[in-house]
Amino acid sequence: MRALEDLPRNARNSILLEPLWAVFATPLLYYAPLYMSSVGLSGTQIGVLGSLGLALSFVFQALAGPVTNRVGRKRTTLWGDLISWTAPMFVWAFAQSFAAFAVAAALNASNRIVGVSWSLLVIEDVQERHRARVFAILNLLVTGCGLLTPLVGLVMAGHGVTPTLRALYFAGGIGMTVMFVWRNALTSETVSGVAARAQHRELGVLQSLRHSLAEVAGMRGHPGLMGVTAFYVLTVFLEQLSLFQILFLGRTLHFSAQALSYVPVAGVAVTVLLYALVLPRLAALPVTRALVLTRALGLVGAVALLFVPAGQLGVMLLVVSLLGGATFLTQTYRDAALFARLPGQGAADLYSAVQTLALLCSVPAAALAGAVFTASPRALFVLIAGVSALLLALAVWLARRDPRPTA
């Protein structure tokens, strides 16, 4: 609680309530490919669903800035969460076909709107020097809920993958709804959100969209934003390629569902250590230099995954934990670097624009991953190692061009 004392109301209350979302989302997102496979979907179908979700997300992302500005950060977050999380949770709970999963993917894709509104609701009123800490705490909480995955794994071992995850999806629909309404009662519109609503209130929908596009067109006028945007886009592309990691560990390296349930637990241990021991030391570095270190760690992990012996649980957990730690640090400093370069006016539009570009470039990633994985699982992770190397090179370039001496 002491770590939250100097944070404004929105950030503090959002952090306190985040576990009520993550306790369901973390294990369900982790086991999602396994769940889809258990009801009969092929690797190609799973990849197509991923690309379908990204394609629809692109449409919703284009609307995220105008909707957030017109409706407000707070109201958009409430209604967006109910549509993009509560509704698909219940669809997933009863899904038995590709069509049902496609409907759930379409609903969940609308979370691209709430992704903008929620991020701004949480972070806009936070001082820049505290933003990396807020992102780190939120990421830590989400990762920490991975401790539940072994319990879910034990239940799956006794009752089966499909019935266990159906029950968890249904419970998640109820639990998340409670959390969304509660958080809405404890947060308030941000200062920038009030100003944006006043500015966009008199504009029609098309006028609001044109205004947002005008803000995006001026992206080059904000120093460093283009480079950080490129880094952001490539990390999202890498995340989509990595969706098949659990299937690679299970099908190719022959680890059981119970063994795979320990992966998030190891990730939690590494994340806690990074938060307690590494983040305080990296705080003295410029954000872009911290990104170089995190991506070097990610490249080492991506290459090491190719050499994990089949069935060697200890080695697998060590390598996957290394990758999880790199992802945690990358997301923390990537988001801090991006928000540091967003202006107070037009932040919703520019943040939405960055995510839109990320989606546009990542639409083929899931389908590509599915096709490559079906042809050769190991080839997919060679590709992931290559993208990791490219990210490291981009991080080095950003660090060399960053004129600021401190984070």
Side-chain angles (χ1 to χ4, degrees):
M1 291 297 294
R2 185 173 299 177
L4 308 182
E5 290 177 355
D6 55 352
L7 296 178
R9 174 182 176 179
N10 286 358
R12 184 173 63 253
N13 288 323
S14 295
I15 288 171
L16 290 174
L17 291 176
E18 186 69 6
L20 297 181
W21 174 85
V23 73
F24 299 106
T26 301
L28 287 174
L29 291 174
Y30 176 70
Y31 285 122
L34 198 62
Y35 177 55
M36 288 186 279
S37 179
S38 74
V39 298
L41 271 64
S42 67
T44 300
Q45 287 177 313
I46 295 172
V48 169
L49 283 172
S51 286
L52 173 64
L54 286 171
L56 293 172
S57 294
F58 177 76
V59 176
F60 287 116
Q61 193 69 65
L63 300 172
V67 170
T68 299
N69 285 329
R70 287 175 61 84
V71 180
R73 278 71 162 140
K74 180 179 175 180
R75 289 174 60 193
T76 302
T77 299
L78 173 62
W79 291 108
D81 274 332
L82 292 174
I83 293 170
S84 66
W85 284 108
T86 295
M89 278 286 167
F90 290 119
V91 176
W92 279 319
F94 298 100
Q96 297 183 15
S97 65
F98 176 84
F101 281 103
V103 170
L107 289 168
N108 188 239
S110 66
N111 69 30
R112 293 298 173 170
I113 294 177
V114 77
V116 171
S117 64
W118 175 80
S119 297
L120 295 174
L121 182 70
V122 172
I123 211 69
E124 272 189 327
D125 292 337
V126 177
Q127 296 178 14
E128 183 175 334
R129 63 192 178 93
H130 294 311
R131 287 178 174 176
R133 173 157 57 95
V134 171
F135 286 122
I137 294 173
L138 288 168
N139 289 335
L140 178 63
L141 288 173
V142 173
T143 304
C145 288
L147 290 171
L148 296 173
T149 54
L151 298 179
V152 176
L154 285 173
V155 178
M156 286 194 299
H159 299 279
V161 172
T162 303
T164 299
L165 294 181
R166 287 196 190 283
L168 191 57
Y169 275 115
F170 188 83
I174 297 172
M176 286 185 181
T177 301
V178 173
M179 180 265 190
F180 298 150
V181 174
W182 192 0
R183 183 184 58 198
N184 185 69
L186 295 178
T187 53
S188 56
E189 188 60 75
T190 67
V191 174
S192 295
V194 171
R197 284 190 66 189
Q199 183 180 24
H200 286 257
R201 187 179 297 122
E202 304 302 324
L203 300 178
V205 176
L206 292 179
Q207 289 176 309
S208 182
L209 182 58
R210 282 197 296 267
H211 179 86
S212 299
L213 292 175
E215 293 283 355
V216 173
M219 184 181 288
R220 287 182 175 273
H222 303 290
L225 183 56
M226 293 298 291
V228 174
T229 296
F231 186 88
Y232 192 103
V233 168
L234 197 56
T235 58
V236 174
F237 186 87
L238 180 63
E239 289 165 7
Q240 294 303 315
L241 292 179
S242 301
L243 290 176
F244 283 80
Q245 179 177 286
I246 187 172
L247 294 180
F248 176 70
L249 297 175
R251 293 182 182 178
T252 307
L253 299 186
H254 308 296
F255 290 101
S256 66
Q258 184 62 53
L260 294 177
S261 71
Y262 296 121
V263 171
V265 177
V268 171
V270 170
T271 300
V272 170
L273 287 175
L274 290 173
Y275 180 80
L277 302 178
V278 177
L279 279 177
R281 289 166 173 77
L282 291 180
L285 292 177
V287 171
T288 49
R289 194 172 301 173
L291 284 175
V292 173
L293 296 177
T294 63
R295 289 322 309 164
L297 189 67
L299 178 58
V300 171
V303 172
L305 186 62
L306 294 168
F307 298 96
V308 172
Q312 294 295 315
L313 181 61
V315 177
M316 184 270 284
L317 289 177
L318 178 63
V319 172
V320 175
S321 297
L322 185 65
L323 284 168
T327 299
F328 166 73
L329 291 173
T330 298
Q331 292 175 343
T332 296
Y333 286 102
R334 174 200 69 186
D335 292 350
L338 176 60
F339 275 95
R341 286 161 177 79
L342 294 178
Q345 183 176 359
D349 299 314
L350 288 171
Y351 182 51
S352 178
V354 171
Q355 293 199 320
T356 300
L357 288 173
L359 285 170
L360 179 62
C361 295
S362 299
V363 163
L368 172 65
V372 175
F373 184 83
T374 300
S376 172
R378 196 167 293 275
L380 173 61
F381 289 87
V382 171
L383 175 61
I384 288 173
V387 175
S388 296
L390 184 58
L391 265 174
L392 175 58
L394 183 54
V396 171
W397 182 80
L398 287 172
R400 289 176 176 174
R401 291 176 62 88
D402 192 349
R404 289 178 292 184
T406 58

